[in-house]
Amino acid sequence: MEILTYMEKYDYEQLVVCQDKESGLKAFICIHDTTLGPALGGTRMWTYKSEEAAMEDALRLARGMTYKNAAAGLNLGGGKTVIMGDPRRDKSEELFRAFGRYIQGLNGRYITAEDVGTTVEDMDLIHEETDYVTGISPAFGSSGNPSPITAYGVYKGMKASAKVAFGSDSLEGKTIAVQGVGNVAYSMCEFLHEEGANLIVTDINKEAVQRAVEAFGAKAVDPDDIYSVDCDIFAPCALGAIINDDTLPQLKAKVIAGSANNQLREDNHGDIVFEKGIVYAPDYVINAGGVINVADELLGYNRERAMKKVEGLYDNLMKIYDISKEQNIPTYKAADHLVEQRIAKLKNARSTFLQNGQSIISRR
């Protein structure tokens, strides 16, 4: 991988390689874009096959955070960290504190939070070395676990999607197929069950499936069967790249709306979804509730204010659906255009300001 060529292609700002021999820390911090503000994005800990795989994941995820934060209306850029290691065996106080010192060294250009493989407790250890971390324990004035807030945002976004597809945002009586019932999806199912939706669930974790069956009267199916079930809404809440050549012919839903990241395997799959008349909620828009919530911590956390912003995901998606309809383009393109225009406008405004300032100095 020609790293600088790749970074130039997608306009990345910075890639930091972190190594601490004593603690075993091996990590990549990637800052994609800080046009809108400091880069905010979580820390992922995973057993990557290679250093290159870890680095590529950090780059990909950081760029995704730029789009997610911008689409959510946050004055924050995009960044991400990946730590190489098994989150079940390799965690230690020394490792996370060493990592915290790297974050502190960036002097506020990057702010982190939980992600796959990390927890509130891990963030607390990072907090020992830096203030540039969110999602820490409520005892420190933080919001704690963001999963229920993410779930609420997905629920609101699903209602907006239903309004476009069915003419009403009511989910009562709708059949919703949920792929994956982890922390976020389980909380989402609670909201759906309370509104009277019928749930079909699957997960490779049989205990998680049984929990949903018992709590919500959900119907359980095998993981490979979730794509072809008769349903109104398909909610991908686990794997990425699950909208692809194999699954698209099986889908019977009129709406795709879920919490999983990177749901489209390729852009052309978003084109096919659009051609089929399926309403697709762009993943980085609908699943932004968690980052909206932790971003509020930077202002001094206020749950009521944060929840009001998360409710705004309904309107964010409606705006994207309007653009899609007016311009006859897939919703993923409509979302990308909205984000890119917002960033470009601010870049142009700054450039004009700097040019005018330089002109004044020159005249003097």
Side-chain angles (χ1 to χ4, degrees), residues 29-232:
I29 302 172
C30 182
I31 297 174
H32 176 246
D33 189 290
T34 57
T35 301
L36 299 177
L40 173 64
T43 293
R44 178 170 295 194
M45 189 171 188
W46 197 252
T47 50
Y48 292 95
K49 294 181 179 179
S50 66
E51 292 177 4
E52 184 175 24
M55 180 177 64
E56 288 181 359
D57 203 29
L59 288 161
R60 177 180 60 84
L61 292 167
R63 185 165 176 256
M65 288 306 302
T66 294
Y67 280 69
K68 179 179 288 191
N69 292 339
L74 300 174
N75 293 317
L76 293 164
K80 205 77 170 187
T81 294
V82 300
I83 297 176
M84 300 181 66
D86 188 334
R88 296 168 297 180
R89 297 197 310 259
D90 298 332
K91 290 183 178 183
S92 68
E93 178 182 359
E94 295 79 13
L95 183 144
F96 284 110
R97 292 189 66 161
F99 173 58
R101 291 192 290 274
Y102 274 102
I103 294 178
Q104 182 65 21
L106 291 169
N107 200 32
R109 277 178 51 76
Y110 170 66
I111 304 164
T112 198
E114 297 101 324
D115 199 87
V116 175
T118 59
T119 65
V120 171
E121 290 73 24
D122 300 331
M123 297 305 109
D124 286 348
L125 292 173
I126 294 169
H127 183 54
E128 293 291 332
E129 302 289 343
T130 183
D131 288 331
Y132 301 120
V133 54
T134 58
I136 52 181
S137 294
F140 297 115
S142 175
S143 59
N145 180 14
S147 293
I149 313 299
T150 302
Y152 183 66
V154 175
Y155 165 67
K156 296 296 288 188
M158 191 179 289
K159 288 178 71 65
S161 305
K163 184 172 180 60
V164 173
F166 309 116
S168 167
D169 67 6
S170 173
L171 299 175
E172 184 178 2
K174 292 288 186 290
T175 299
I176 301 169
V178 182
Q179 182 188 42
V181 277
N183 291 334
V184 171
Y186 186 86
S187 294
M188 180 193 74
C189 287
E190 287 186 297
F191 293 119
L192 297 173
H193 178 66
E194 287 173 5
E195 191 167 334
N198 304 310
L199 300 174
I200 302 173
V201 300
T202 196
D203 199 296
I204 58 173
N205 183 339
K206 292 183 179 180
E207 291 181 1
V209 170
Q210 188 58 33
R211 183 183 176 207
V213 169
E214 293 175 357
F216 313 123
K219 176 184 176 182
V221 298
D222 290 336
D224 290 340
D225 295 334
I226 194 67
Y227 305 105
S228 59
V229 298
D230 286 317
C231 64
D232 299 296

